[in-house]
């Protein structure tokens, strides 16, 4: 059974950086795509970035590239989301999700596994 566990969220000031981690178990990342999503209260879920399993190809959500970086450590079975120069508008619950099919994960957004989410709050 696949499990995804996010960590690294917290309360930070504007302009700060955070690195979120998504640790996978029950699957190996070289055959499994992982994506990061976020949802703020009262807003639609946003797609941040996705990294495919076999080749590590990266796909970006609209307007997400620039301050955010997605990476993975296959040996540690973990995907990271580095977030720099955070703004109050980045406040949200951040989720990772995964599927063997990047299409199901990123285009259909019907992955077979979601993490529990980690709260990121950007406030002075």
């Amino acid at each position: 059974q696949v499990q995804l566990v996010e960590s690294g969220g917290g309360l930070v000031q504007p302009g700060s950086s955070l690195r979120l981690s998504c640790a996978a178990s029950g699957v190996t990342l070289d055959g499994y795509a992982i994506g990061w999503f976020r949802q703020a209260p009262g807003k639609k879920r946003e797609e941040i970035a996705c990294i495919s399993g076999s080749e590590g190809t990266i796909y970006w959500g609209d307007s997400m590239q620039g301050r955010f970086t997605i990476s993975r450590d296959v040996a540690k079975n973990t995907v990271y989301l580095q977030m720099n120069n955070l703004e109050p508008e980045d406040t949200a619950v951040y989720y990772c999700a995964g599927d063997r099919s990047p299409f199901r994960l990123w285009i259909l957004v019907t992955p077979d596994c979601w993490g529990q989410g980690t709260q990121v709050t950007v406030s002075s």
Side-chain angles (χ1 to χ4, degrees):
Q1 183 179 359
V2 179
Q3 283 193 313
L4 302 175
V5 178
E6 302 98 333
S7 61
L11 171 63
V12 296
Q13 293 188 335
S16 299
S17 297
L18 275 178
R19 189 178 77 161
L20 305 183
S21 299
C22 175
S25 60
V27 70
T28 55
L29 292 186
D30 58 0
Y32 200 75
I34 297 287
W36 284 100
F37 303 80
R38 69 182 184 184
Q39 188 160 23
K43 294 190 175 181
K44 288 175 53 177
R45 182 180 56 210
E46 292 183 282
E47 298 169 356
I48 301 172
C50 164
I51 186 164
S52 70
S54 57
E55 298 179 353
T57 303
I58 294 173
Y59 306 90
W60 286 101
D62 293 341
S63 304
M64 290 297 177
Q65 195 170 5
R67 296 185 296 118
F68 294 174
T69 304
I70 189 171
S71 63
R72 68 179 183 176
D73 186 330
V74 175
K76 293 183 178 180
N77 234 27
T78 300
V79 173
Y80 303 99
L81 183 69
Q82 177 69 41
M83 307 186 294
N84 298 324
N85 195 22
L86 285 162
E87 304 169 352
E89 293 72 24
D90 296 315
T91 296
V93 179
Y94 286 69
Y95 299 91
C96 64
D99 200 288
R100 284 175 175 76
S101 164
F103 181 79
R104 279 200 301 268
L105 170 63
W106 194 242
I107 304 301
L108 301 181
V109 196
T110 55
D112 64 14
C113 186
W114 287 92
Q116 83 286 354
T118 185
Q119 177 72 45
V120 172
T121 303
V122 184
S123 175
S124 55

